[in-house]
Amino acid sequence: MGAVYAWLSKRLTLSPLLHHLLDEPIPGGASWIYIFGSLTLFFLVLQGVTGSFLAIYYAPTPDHAYESVRFIQETPFGSFIRGLHHWGSSAMMIAVGLHLLQVYLYGAYKPPREPMWIVGVVLLVLTLTFGFTGYLLPWDQKAYWATVVGTKTPSAMPVVGAATEKLLAGGDAV
């Protein structure tokens, strides 16, 4: 691993970049309160790994989705991987919320870090979108009706409500 890093560093001058990213002084010193960003990254990697394993057997069609989830449950370690993915997504939402709260309370959105705050808000929207779209994948009654409620909710907004509902549902119906 060291040889690869040395080779890349010589060509890309990684040392100043890594020094800037990793050696930034933390106001008040290191503390357990600063773990929420790393915890969110851990859960993101967990979602990627478990989601990749689940995607091997998942059939993304309304006709076969439910049966493929049942098949995953019956394969060796399938129930364990699906459980990790399910609970990992919930834990990631909690970690994202705690990280957002910590960044806000500590004022980490103030200059010169506003671009990081904007990136964080975009990542929050992406995370919530992934959570919303992932909920439908088992294509059971609970997932279907939760998606119906989730897509109907924006219709209460004035002016853009109907268009937003149609956009979220992907048409006139889920």
Side-chain angles (χ1 to χ4, degrees):
M1 186 68 176
V4 173
Y5 173 76
W7 184 82
L8 279 173
S9 182
K10 189 184 291 183
R11 283 149 184 82
L12 302 175
T13 57
L14 293 178
S15 293
L17 176 66
L18 287 176
H19 176 72
H20 177 71
L21 291 174
L22 298 177
D23 292 339
E24 183 178 347
I26 299 173
S31 170
W32 282 102
I33 194 71
Y34 294 113
I35 66 166
F36 298 120
S38 299
L39 193 62
T40 300
L41 178 62
F42 168 76
F43 286 124
L44 178 67
V45 170
L46 178 72
Q47 291 303 100
V49 170
T50 57
S52 297
F53 284 128
L54 292 173
I56 293 170
Y57 292 109
Y58 181 73
T61 63
D63 301 344
H64 301 101
Y66 183 75
E67 291 302 319
S68 68
V69 170
R70 279 191 45 216
F71 178 75
I72 289 169
Q73 290 289 106
E74 295 166 3
T75 59
F77 298 106
S79 180
F80 177 71
I81 298 294
R82 185 163 179 252
L84 270 178
H85 193 73
H86 171 79
W87 290 107
S89 67
S90 298
M92 183 172 174
M93 294 299 172
I94 292 168
V96 164
L98 289 172
H99 181 58
L100 178 72
L101 182 66
Q102 182 256 324
V103 167
Y104 179 74
L105 290 177
Y106 279 62
Y109 58 89
K110 295 177 183 171
R113 304 201 51 127
E114 307 98 321
M116 292 301 289
W117 175 260
I118 293 168
V119 169
V121 170
V122 169
L123 289 174
L124 172 67
V125 170
L126 261 169
T127 302
L128 294 174
T129 303
F130 281 145
F132 181 70
T133 58
Y135 201 80
L136 178 63
L137 293 179
W139 203 253
D140 56 1
Q141 286 295 311
K142 184 171 84 168
Y144 174 79
W145 289 109
T147 304
V148 167
V149 168
T151 56
K152 294 268 185 218
T153 302
S155 66
M157 290 189 304
V159 183
V160 296
T164 305
E165 176 189 352
K166 192 170 185 174
L167 175 73
L168 287 176
D172 294 323
V174 174

